[in-house]
Coordinates of all heavy atoms in Angstrom, one line a residue:
M159 N -76.7 -55.9 -44.4 CA -77.3 -56.5 -43.2 C -77.5 -55.4 -42.2 O -76.6 -54.6 -41.9 CB -76.3 -57.5 -42.6 CG -76.8 -58.2 -41.4 SD -75.8 -59.6 -41.0 CE -74.9 -59.0 -39.6
L160 N -78.7 -55.3 -41.7 CA -79.0 -54.3 -40.7 C -78.6 -54.7 -39.3 O -79.0 -55.8 -38.8 CB -80.5 -54.0 -40.8 CG -81.1 -52.9 -40.0 CD1 -80.4 -51.6 -40.4 CD2 -82.6 -52.8 -40.1
M161 N -77.8 -53.9 -38.7 CA -77.4 -54.2 -37.3 C -78.5 -53.8 -36.3 O -79.3 -52.9 -36.6 CB -76.2 -53.3 -36.9 CG -75.0 -53.6 -37.8 SD -74.3 -55.2 -37.6 CE -73.6 -55.1 -36.0
P162 N -78.7 -54.6 -35.2 CA -79.7 -54.2 -34.3 C -79.4 -52.9 -33.6 O -78.2 -52.5 -33.5 CB -79.6 -55.4 -33.2 CG -78.3 -56.0 -33.4 CD -77.9 -55.7 -34.8
I163 N -80.5 -52.2 -33.2 CA -80.3 -50.9 -32.6 C -79.8 -51.1 -31.2 O -80.4 -51.9 -30.4 CB -81.6 -50.1 -32.6 CG1 -82.1 -49.8 -34.0 CG2 -81.5 -48.9 -31.8 CD1 -83.4 -49.2 -34.1
T164 N -78.7 -50.5 -30.9 CA -78.2 -50.5 -29.5 C -78.1 -49.1 -28.9 O -77.7 -48.2 -29.6 CB -76.8 -51.2 -29.4 OG1 -75.9 -50.5 -30.3 CG2 -76.9 -52.6 -29.8
I165 N -78.6 -49.0 -27.8 CA -78.7 -47.6 -27.1 C -77.8 -47.7 -25.9 O -77.9 -48.7 -25.1 CB -80.1 -47.3 -26.7 CG1 -81.0 -47.3 -27.9 CG2 -80.2 -46.0 -26.0 CD1 -82.5 -47.1 -27.6
P166 N -76.9 -46.7 -25.7 CA -76.0 -46.8 -24.5 C -76.9 -46.9 -23.2 O -78.0 -46.4 -23.2 CB -75.3 -45.4 -24.6 CG -75.3 -45.0 -26.0 CD -76.6 -45.6 -26.6
K167 N -76.3 -47.6 -22.3 CA -77.1 -47.9 -21.0 C -77.7 -46.7 -20.4 O -78.9 -46.8 -20.0 CB -76.1 -48.6 -20.1 CG -76.8 -49.2 -18.8 CD -75.9 -50.1 -18.0 CE -76.6 -50.6 -16.8 NZ -77.5 -51.8 -17.1
R168 N -77.0 -45.6 -20.2 CA -77.6 -44.4 -19.6 C -78.8 -43.9 -20.3 O -79.8 -43.6 -19.7 CB -76.5 -43.4 -19.5 CG -76.9 -42.1 -18.7 CD -75.7 -41.1 -18.7 NE -75.7 -39.9 -18.1 CZ -76.7 -39.0 -18.0 NH1 -77.8 -39.2 -18.5 NH2 -76.5 -37.9 -17.3
E169 N -78.6 -43.8 -21.6 CA -79.8 -43.3 -22.4 C -80.9 -44.3 -22.4 O -82.1 -43.9 -22.4 CB -79.3 -43.0 -23.9 CG -78.5 -41.7 -24.0 CD -77.0 -41.9 -23.7 OE1 -76.6 -43.0 -23.3 OE2 -76.3 -40.9 -23.8
K170 N -80.6 -45.6 -22.4 CA -81.7 -46.6 -22.4 C -82.4 -46.5 -21.1 O -83.7 -46.6 -21.1 CB -81.1 -48.0 -22.6 CG -82.2 -49.0 -22.8 CD -81.6 -50.4 -23.2 CE -82.7 -51.4 -23.4 NZ -82.2 -52.6 -23.8
L171 N -81.7 -46.3 -20.0 CA -82.4 -46.2 -18.7 C -83.4 -45.0 -18.7 O -84.5 -45.0 -18.2 CB -81.4 -46.1 -17.6 CG -80.7 -47.4 -17.3 CD1 -79.6 -47.2 -16.2 CD2 -81.6 -48.5 -16.8
L172 N -82.9 -43.8 -19.2 CA -83.7 -42.6 -19.3 C -84.9 -42.9 -20.2 O -86.1 -42.5 -19.8 CB -82.9 -41.4 -19.8 CG -81.8 -40.9 -18.9 CD1 -81.0 -39.9 -19.6 CD2 -82.5 -40.3 -17.6
L173 N -84.7 -43.5 -21.4 CA -85.8 -43.8 -22.3 C -86.8 -44.7 -21.6 O -88.0 -44.6 -21.8 CB -85.3 -44.4 -23.6 CG -84.7 -43.4 -24.6 CD1 -84.0 -44.2 -25.7 CD2 -85.7 -42.5 -25.1
L174 N -86.3 -45.7 -21.0 CA -87.2 -46.7 -20.3 C -88.0 -46.1 -19.3 O -89.2 -46.3 -19.2 CB -86.3 -47.8 -19.7 CG -87.1 -49.0 -19.0 CD1 -88.1 -49.6 -20.0 CD2 -86.1 -50.0 -18.5
E175 N -87.5 -45.2 -18.5 CA -88.2 -44.5 -17.5 C -89.3 -43.6 -18.1 O -90.5 -43.6 -17.6 CB -87.3 -43.6 -16.6 CG -88.1 -42.9 -15.4 CD -88.8 -43.9 -14.5 OE1 -88.4 -45.0 -14.3 OE2 -89.9 -43.4 -14.0
Q176 N -89.0 -42.9 -19.2 CA -90.0 -42.1 -19.9 C -91.1 -43.0 -20.5 O -92.3 -42.7 -20.5 CB -89.3 -41.3 -21.0 CG -88.4 -40.2 -20.5 CD -87.6 -39.5 -21.6 OE1 -87.5 -40.0 -22.7 NE2 -87.1 -38.3 -21.3
F177 N -90.7 -44.1 -21.0 CA -91.6 -45.1 -21.6 C -92.6 -45.6 -20.5 O -93.8 -45.6 -20.7 CB -90.8 -46.2 -22.2 CG -91.7 -47.3 -22.8 CD1 -92.3 -47.1 -24.1 CD2 -91.9 -48.5 -22.2 CE1 -93.1 -48.1 -24.6 CE2 -92.6 -49.5 -22.7 CZ -93.3 -49.3 -24.0
R178 N -92.0 -46.0 -19.4 CA -92.8 -46.5 -18.3 C -93.8 -45.4 -17.8 O -95.0 -45.7 -17.5 CB -92.0 -47.0 -17.1 CG -91.2 -48.3 -17.5 CD -90.3 -48.7 -16.4 NE -91.1 -48.9 -15.1 CZ -90.5 -48.9 -13.9 NH1 -89.2 -48.8 -13.8 NH2 -91.2 -49.2 -12.9
Q179 N -93.4 -44.2 -17.7 CA -94.2 -43.1 -17.2 C -95.4 -42.9 -18.2 O -96.5 -42.7 -17.8 CB -93.4 -41.8 -17.1 CG -92.5 -41.8 -15.8 CD -91.7 -40.5 -15.8 OE1 -91.8 -39.6 -16.5 NE2 -90.8 -40.5 -14.8
E180 N -95.1 -42.9 -19.5 CA -96.1 -42.7 -20.5 C -97.1 -43.9 -20.5 O -98.3 -43.6 -20.6 CB -95.4 -42.7 -21.9 CG -96.4 -42.4 -23.0 CD -97.0 -41.0 -23.0 OE1 -96.5 -40.1 -22.3 OE2 -98.1 -40.8 -23.7
V181 N -96.7 -45.1 -20.4 CA -97.6 -46.2 -20.3 C -98.5 -46.1 -19.0 O -99.7 -46.3 -19.1 CB -96.8 -47.6 -20.2 CG1 -97.7 -48.7 -19.8 CG2 -96.1 -47.8 -21.6
E182 N -97.9 -45.7 -17.9 CA -98.6 -45.5 -16.7 C -99.7 -44.4 -16.8 O -100.8 -44.5 -16.4 CB -97.7 -45.2 -15.5 CG -98.5 -45.2 -14.2 CD -97.5 -45.1 -13.0 OE1 -96.3 -44.9 -13.2 OE2 -98.0 -45.3 -11.9
K183 N -99.3 -43.3 -17.4 CA -100.2 -42.2 -17.7 C -101.3 -42.5 -18.6 O -102.5 -42.3 -18.3 CB -99.4 -41.0 -18.2 CG -100.2 -39.7 -18.5 CD -99.4 -38.6 -19.0 CE -99.6 -38.6 -20.5 NZ -98.9 -37.5 -21.2
E184 N -101.0 -43.2 -19.7 CA -102.1 -43.5 -20.7 C -102.9 -44.8 -20.3 O -104.1 -44.8 -20.6 CB -101.4 -43.7 -22.0 CG -100.8 -42.5 -22.6 CD -101.8 -41.4 -22.9 OE1 -102.9 -41.7 -23.3 OE2 -101.5 -40.2 -22.6
L185 N -102.3 -45.7 -19.7 CA -103.0 -47.0 -19.4 C -103.3 -47.2 -17.9 O -104.0 -48.1 -17.5 CB -102.2 -48.2 -19.9 CG -101.9 -48.2 -21.4 CD1 -101.0 -49.4 -21.8 CD2 -103.1 -48.1 -22.2
G186 N -102.8 -46.3 -17.1 CA -103.0 -46.4 -15.6 C -102.3 -47.6 -15.0 O -102.7 -47.9 -13.8
E187 N -101.3 -48.1 -15.6 CA -100.6 -49.2 -15.0 C -99.1 -49.0 -15.2 O -98.7 -48.6 -16.3 CB -100.9 -50.6 -15.7 CG -102.3 -51.0 -15.4 CD -102.6 -52.4 -15.9 OE1 -101.6 -53.2 -16.0 OE2 -103.7 -52.7 -16.3
D188 N -98.3 -49.3 -14.2 CA -96.8 -49.3 -14.4 C -96.4 -50.7 -14.9 O -96.7 -51.7 -14.2 CB -96.2 -49.0 -13.0 CG -94.6 -48.9 -13.1 OD1 -94.1 -49.2 -14.2 OD2 -94.0 -48.6 -12.1
P189 N -95.8 -50.7 -16.1 CA -95.5 -52.0 -16.6 C -94.3 -52.7 -15.9 O -94.1 -53.9 -16.1 CB -95.0 -51.7 -18.1 CG -94.6 -50.3 -18.0 CD -95.4 -49.6 -17.0
G190 N -93.6 -52.0 -15.0 CA -92.5 -52.6 -14.2 C -91.3 -52.6 -15.1 O -91.4 -52.5 -16.4
P191 N -90.1 -52.7 -14.5 CA -88.9 -52.7 -15.3 C -88.7 -53.8 -16.3 O -88.3 -53.5 -17.5 CB -87.8 -52.7 -14.2 CG -88.4 -53.2 -13.0 CD -89.9 -52.9 -13.1
F192 N -89.1 -55.0 -16.0 CA -88.9 -56.1 -16.9 C -89.8 -56.0 -18.1 O -89.4 -56.0 -19.3 CB -89.0 -57.4 -16.2 CG -88.9 -58.6 -17.2 CD1 -87.7 -59.0 -17.7 CD2 -90.0 -59.3 -17.6 CE1 -87.5 -60.0 -18.6 CE2 -89.9 -60.3 -18.5 CZ -88.7 -60.7 -19.0
V193 N -91.1 -55.8 -17.9 CA -92.1 -55.7 -19.0 C -91.8 -54.4 -19.8 O -91.9 -54.5 -21.0 CB -93.5 -55.7 -18.4 CG1 -94.5 -55.5 -19.5 CG2 -93.8 -57.1 -17.7
G194 N -91.5 -53.3 -19.1 CA -91.2 -52.1 -19.8 C -90.1 -52.2 -20.7 O -90.1 -51.8 -21.9
E195 N -89.0 -52.8 -20.3 CA -87.8 -53.0 -21.1 C -88.1 -53.9 -22.3 O -87.7 -53.7 -23.4 CB -86.6 -53.5 -20.3 CG -85.4 -53.6 -21.1 CD -84.1 -53.9 -20.2 OE1 -84.3 -54.2 -19.0 OE2 -83.0 -53.9 -20.8
H196 N -88.8 -55.0 -22.0 CA -89.2 -56.0 -23.1 C -90.0 -55.3 -24.1 O -89.8 -55.5 -25.3 CB -89.9 -57.2 -22.5 CG -90.4 -58.1 -23.5 ND1 -89.5 -59.0 -24.2 CD2 -91.6 -58.4 -24.0 CE1 -90.2 -59.7 -25.1 NE2 -91.5 -59.3 -25.0
L197 N -91.0 -54.5 -23.7 CA -91.9 -53.8 -24.7 C -91.1 -52.8 -25.5 O -91.2 -52.7 -26.7 CB -93.0 -53.1 -24.0 CG -94.2 -54.0 -23.5 CD1 -95.2 -53.2 -22.7 CD2 -94.9 -54.6 -24.7
M198 N -90.2 -52.0 -24.8 CA -89.4 -51.0 -25.5 C -88.5 -51.7 -26.5 O -88.4 -51.3 -27.7 CB -88.6 -50.2 -24.5 CG -87.9 -49.0 -25.2 SD -87.1 -47.9 -24.1 CE -85.7 -48.8 -23.6
D199 N -87.8 -52.8 -26.1 CA -87.0 -53.6 -27.0 C -87.8 -54.1 -28.2 O -87.3 -54.0 -29.4 CB -86.3 -54.7 -26.3 CG -85.2 -54.2 -25.4 OD1 -84.8 -53.0 -25.5 OD2 -84.8 -55.0 -24.5
F200 N -89.0 -54.6 -28.0 CA -89.8 -55.1 -29.0 C -90.2 -54.0 -30.0 O -90.1 -54.2 -31.2 CB -91.1 -55.7 -28.5 CG -92.1 -56.2 -29.5 CD1 -91.9 -57.4 -30.2 CD2 -93.2 -55.4 -29.8 CE1 -92.8 -57.8 -31.2 CE2 -94.1 -55.8 -30.8 CZ -93.9 -57.0 -31.5
I201 N -90.6 -52.8 -29.5 CA -90.9 -51.7 -30.4 C -89.7 -51.2 -31.2 O -89.8 -51.0 -32.4 CB -91.5 -50.6 -29.5 CG1 -92.9 -51.0 -29.0 CG2 -91.6 -49.3 -30.4 CD1 -93.4 -50.1 -27.9
L202 N -88.6 -51.2 -30.5 CA -87.4 -50.8 -31.3 C -87.0 -51.8 -32.4 O -86.7 -51.4 -33.5 CB -86.2 -50.6 -30.3 CG -86.1 -49.4 -29.4 CD1 -85.0 -49.5 -28.4 CD2 -86.0 -48.1 -30.3
K203 N -87.2 -53.1 -32.1 CA -86.9 -54.1 -33.1 C -87.8 -54.0 -34.2 O -87.4 -54.2 -35.4 CB -86.9 -55.5 -32.4 CG -86.6 -56.6 -33.3 CD -86.6 -57.9 -32.6 CE -86.3 -59.1 -33.5 NZ -86.4 -60.4 -32.9
Q204 N -89.1 -53.8 -34.0 CA -90.1 -53.7 -35.0 C -90.1 -52.4 -35.8 O -90.2 -52.4 -37.0 CB -91.5 -53.9 -34.4 CG -91.7 -55.3 -33.8 CD -91.4 -56.4 -34.7 OE1 -91.9 -56.5 -35.9 NE2 -90.7 -57.4 -34.3
A205 N -90.0 -51.3 -35.1 CA -90.0 -50.0 -35.7 C -88.7 -49.5 -36.2 O -88.6 -48.6 -37.1 CB -90.7 -49.0 -34.8
G206 N -87.6 -50.0 -35.6 CA -86.3 -49.5 -35.8 C -85.9 -49.5 -37.3 O -85.4 -48.5 -37.8
P207 N -86.1 -50.6 -38.0 CA -85.7 -50.6 -39.5 C -86.5 -49.6 -40.3 O -85.9 -49.0 -41.2 CB -86.1 -52.1 -39.9 CG -86.0 -52.9 -38.7 CD -86.5 -52.0 -37.6
Y208 N -87.8 -49.4 -40.0 CA -88.6 -48.4 -40.7 C -88.0 -47.0 -40.4 O -87.8 -46.2 -41.4 CB -90.0 -48.5 -40.2 CG -90.9 -47.5 -40.8 CD1 -91.3 -47.6 -42.1 CD2 -91.4 -46.4 -40.1 CE1 -92.1 -46.6 -42.7 CE2 -92.2 -45.4 -40.6 CZ -92.6 -45.6 -42.0 OH -93.4 -44.6 -42.5
V209 N -87.7 -46.7 -39.2 CA -87.2 -45.4 -38.8 C -85.8 -45.2 -39.4 O -85.5 -44.1 -40.0 CB -87.2 -45.2 -37.3 CG1 -86.5 -43.9 -36.9 CG2 -88.6 -45.2 -36.7
Y210 N -85.0 -46.2 -39.4 CA -83.7 -46.2 -40.0 C -83.7 -45.9 -41.5 O -83.0 -45.0 -42.0 CB -83.0 -47.5 -39.7 CG -81.6 -47.6 -40.3 CD1 -80.5 -47.1 -39.7 CD2 -81.4 -48.2 -41.6 CE1 -79.2 -47.2 -40.3 CE2 -80.2 -48.3 -42.2 CZ -79.1 -47.8 -41.5 OH -77.9 -47.9 -42.1
N211 N -84.6 -46.6 -42.2 CA -84.8 -46.4 -43.6 C -85.3 -45.0 -43.9 O -84.8 -44.4 -44.9 CB -85.7 -47.4 -44.2 CG -85.1 -48.8 -44.2 OD1 -83.9 -48.9 -44.2 ND2 -85.9 -49.8 -44.4
M212 N -86.1 -44.4 -43.1 CA -86.6 -43.0 -43.3 C -85.4 -42.1 -43.1 O -85.3 -41.1 -43.9 CB -87.7 -42.7 -42.3 CG -89.0 -43.4 -42.6 SD -90.4 -43.1 -41.4 CE -90.2 -41.4 -41.1
A213 N -84.6 -42.3 -42.1 CA -83.4 -41.4 -41.9 C -82.5 -41.5 -43.1 O -81.9 -40.5 -43.5 CB -82.7 -41.8 -40.6
I214 N -82.2 -42.7 -43.6 CA -81.4 -42.9 -44.8 C -82.0 -42.2 -46.0 O -81.2 -41.5 -46.7 CB -81.2 -44.4 -45.1 CG1 -80.4 -45.1 -44.0 CG2 -80.5 -44.6 -46.5 CD1 -78.9 -44.6 -43.9
Q215 N -83.3 -42.3 -46.2 CA -83.9 -41.6 -47.3 C -83.8 -40.1 -47.1 O -83.5 -39.3 -48.1 CB -85.4 -41.9 -47.3 CG -86.1 -41.4 -48.5 CD -87.6 -41.8 -48.6 OE1 -88.0 -42.7 -47.8 NE2 -88.3 -41.2 -49.5
D216 N -84.0 -39.5 -45.9 CA -83.8 -38.1 -45.6 C -82.3 -37.7 -45.9 O -82.1 -36.6 -46.5 CB -84.1 -37.8 -44.2 CG -85.6 -37.8 -43.9 OD1 -86.4 -37.9 -44.9 OD2 -86.0 -37.8 -42.7
A217 N -81.4 -38.5 -45.5 CA -80.0 -38.2 -45.8 C -79.7 -38.2 -47.2 O -78.9 -37.3 -47.8 CB -79.1 -39.1 -45.0
R218 N -80.2 -39.2 -48.0 CA -80.0 -39.3 -49.4 C -80.6 -38.0 -50.1 O -79.9 -37.4 -51.0 CB -80.7 -40.5 -49.9 CG -80.4 -40.8 -51.4 CD -81.1 -42.0 -51.9 NE -80.8 -43.2 -51.2 CZ -81.6 -44.0 -50.5 NH1 -82.9 -43.7 -50.4 NH2 -81.2 -45.1 -49.9
M219 N -81.8 -37.6 -49.7 CA -82.4 -36.4 -50.3 C -81.5 -35.2 -50.0 O -81.3 -34.3 -50.9 CB -83.8 -36.2 -49.8 CG -84.8 -37.2 -50.4 SD -86.4 -37.2 -49.7 CE -86.8 -35.5 -49.5
M220 N -81.0 -35.0 -48.8 CA -80.2 -33.9 -48.5 C -78.9 -33.9 -49.3 O -78.5 -32.9 -49.8 CB -79.8 -33.9 -47.0 CG -79.0 -32.7 -46.5 SD -77.7 -32.9 -45.3 CE -76.9 -34.4 -45.7
L221 N -78.3 -35.1 -49.5 CA -77.0 -35.2 -50.3 C -77.3 -34.8 -51.7 O -76.5 -34.2 -52.4 CB -76.4 -36.6 -50.1 CG -75.7 -36.9 -48.8 CD1 -75.3 -38.3 -48.8 CD2 -74.5 -36.0 -48.6
E222 N -78.4 -35.3 -52.2 CA -78.8 -34.9 -53.6 C -79.0 -33.4 -53.8 O -78.5 -32.9 -54.8 CB -80.1 -35.7 -54.1 CG -79.8 -37.2 -54.3 CD -81.1 -38.0 -54.5 OE1 -82.2 -37.3 -54.6 OE2 -81.0 -39.2 -54.7
E223 N -79.6 -32.8 -52.8 CA -79.8 -31.3 -52.9 C -78.5 -30.6 -52.8 O -78.2 -29.7 -53.6 CB -80.7 -30.9 -51.8 CG -82.2 -31.3 -51.9 CD -83.0 -31.0 -50.7 OE1 -82.5 -30.3 -49.7 OE2 -84.2 -31.4 -50.7
K224 N -77.6 -31.1 -52.0 CA -76.2 -30.5 -51.9 C -75.5 -30.7 -53.2 O -74.8 -29.8 -53.6 CB -75.4 -31.1 -50.7 CG -76.0 -30.8 -49.3 CD -75.7 -29.4 -48.9 CE -76.1 -29.2 -47.4 NZ -76.0 -27.8 -47.0
Y225 N -75.5 -31.9 -53.7 CA -74.8 -32.2 -55.0 C -75.3 -31.3 -56.1 O -74.5 -30.7 -56.8 CB -75.1 -33.7 -55.3 CG -74.5 -34.0 -56.7 CD1 -73.1 -34.2 -56.9 CD2 -75.3 -34.1 -57.8 CE1 -72.6 -34.5 -58.1 CE2 -74.8 -34.4 -59.1 CZ -73.4 -34.6 -59.2 OH -72.9 -34.9 -60.4
D226 N -76.7 -31.1 -56.2 CA -77.2 -30.3 -57.2 C -76.7 -28.8 -57.1 O -76.4 -28.2 -58.0 CB -78.8 -30.3 -57.2 CG -79.3 -31.7 -57.7 OD1 -78.6 -32.4 -58.3 OD2 -80.5 -31.9 -57.4
S227 N -76.7 -28.4 -55.8 CA -76.2 -27.0 -55.5 C -74.8 -26.9 -55.9 O -74.4 -25.8 -56.5 CB -76.4 -26.7 -54.0 OG -75.9 -25.5 -53.7
M228 N -73.9 -27.9 -55.6 CA -72.5 -27.8 -56.0 C -72.3 -27.8 -57.5 O -71.5 -27.1 -58.0 CB -71.8 -29.0 -55.3 CG -71.6 -28.8 -53.8 SD -70.7 -30.1 -52.9 CE -70.5 -31.4 -54.0
V229 N -73.1 -28.6 -58.2 CA -73.0 -28.6 -59.7 C -73.4 -27.2 -60.2 O -72.7 -26.7 -61.1 CB -73.9 -29.7 -60.3 CG1 -74.1 -29.6 -61.8 CG2 -73.4 -31.1 -59.9
E230 N -74.4 -26.6 -59.7 CA -74.8 -25.3 -60.2 C -73.7 -24.3 -59.9 O -73.4 -23.4 -60.7 CB -76.1 -24.8 -59.4 CG -77.3 -25.5 -59.9 CD -78.6 -25.1 -59.2 OE1 -78.6 -24.0 -58.6 OE2 -79.6 -25.9 -59.2
E231 N -73.1 -24.4 -58.7 CA -72.0 -23.5 -58.4 C -70.8 -23.7 -59.4 O -70.2 -22.7 -59.8 CB -71.5 -23.7 -56.9 CG -72.5 -23.1 -55.9 CD -72.0 -23.3 -54.5 OE1 -70.8 -23.0 -54.3 OE2 -72.8 -23.7 -53.6
L232 N -70.5 -24.9 -59.7 CA -69.4 -25.2 -60.6 C -69.7 -24.6 -62.0 O -68.9 -24.0 -62.7 CB -69.2 -26.7 -60.8 CG -68.5 -27.3 -59.6 CD1 -68.4 -28.8 -59.7 CD2 -67.1 -26.8 -59.4
Y233 N -71.0 -24.7 -62.5 CA -71.3 -24.1 -63.8 C -71.2 -22.6 -63.7 O -70.7 -22.0 -64.7 CB -72.8 -24.4 -64.1 CG -72.9 -25.8 -64.8 CD1 -73.7 -26.8 -64.3 CD2 -72.3 -26.1 -66.0 CE1 -73.9 -28.0 -64.9 CE2 -72.4 -27.3 -66.6 CZ -73.2 -28.3 -66.0 OH -73.4 -29.5 -66.7
S234 N -71.5 -22.0 -62.6 CA -71.4 -20.5 -62.4 C -69.9 -20.1 -62.5 O -69.6 -18.9 -62.7 CB -72.0 -20.0 -61.2 OG -71.3 -20.4 -60.0
L235 N -69.0 -21.0 -62.2 CA -67.5 -20.6 -62.2 C -66.9 -20.8 -63.5 O -65.8 -20.3 -63.7 CB -66.8 -21.5 -61.2 CG -67.1 -21.3 -59.7 CD1 -66.4 -22.4 -58.9 CD2 -66.8 -19.9 -59.2
E236 N -67.6 -21.4 -64.5 CA -67.0 -21.6 -65.8 C -66.8 -20.2 -66.5 O -67.5 -19.3 -66.3 CB -68.0 -22.4 -66.7 CG -68.0 -23.9 -66.3 CD -68.8 -24.7 -67.3 OE1 -69.6 -24.1 -68.1 OE2 -68.7 -25.9 -67.3
K237 N -65.7 -20.2 -67.2 CA -65.3 -19.0 -67.9 C -65.7 -19.2 -69.4 O -65.5 -20.3 -70.0 CB -63.8 -18.7 -67.9 CG -63.2 -18.7 -66.4 CD -63.5 -17.3 -65.9 CE -62.7 -17.2 -64.6 NZ -63.4 -16.5 -63.5
R238 N -66.3 -18.2 -70.0 CA -66.6 -18.2 -71.4 C -65.4 -17.9 -72.2 O -64.7 -16.9 -71.9 CB -67.7 -17.3 -71.7 CG -69.0 -17.7 -71.0 CD -70.1 -17.1 -71.6 NE -70.8 -18.2 -72.3 CZ -71.9 -18.1 -73.0 NH1 -72.4 -16.9 -73.3 NH2 -72.4 -19.1 -73.6
H239 N -65.1 -18.6 -73.2 CA -64.0 -18.3 -74.1 C -64.4 -17.0 -74.9 O -65.5 -16.9 -75.4 CB -63.8 -19.5 -75.1 CG -62.6 -19.3 -75.9 ND1 -62.5 -18.5 -77.0 CD2 -61.3 -19.9 -75.7 CE1 -61.3 -18.6 -77.5 NE2 -60.5 -19.4 -76.7
P240 N -63.5 -16.1 -74.9 CA -63.8 -14.8 -75.5 C -64.3 -14.9 -77.0 O -65.0 -14.0 -77.4 CB -62.5 -14.0 -75.4 CG -61.5 -14.8 -74.7 CD -62.1 -16.1 -74.4
K241 N -63.9 -15.8 -77.7 CA -64.2 -15.9 -79.2 C -65.5 -16.8 -79.4 O -65.9 -16.9 -80.5 CB -63.0 -16.4 -80.0 CG -61.9 -15.5 -80.0 CD -60.8 -16.0 -80.9 CE -59.7 -15.0 -80.9 NZ -58.6 -15.3 -81.8
L242 N -66.1 -17.3 -78.4 CA -67.2 -18.1 -78.6 C -68.5 -17.4 -78.3 O -68.8 -16.6 -77.6 CB -67.2 -19.4 -77.7 CG -66.1 -20.3 -78.0 CD1 -66.1 -21.5 -76.9 CD2 -66.2 -20.9 -79.4

């Protein structure tokens, strides 16, 4: 079950201000605090799972690379039996 994205209040207020400034710059209108927050929440709700899944995929790839590297290091530590 995917938990909803929650952003700490301070960071959310900073993001909301940046979001509102971007909307005003690009569209020439200040969406206001209520509309801006609603739009930002909507975008997070819609895009959040996609971004989350991309982050999980990136982490999985990184772990696989680390695992492969560790396996190679373990092989390099093996001792050959003198009679083989």
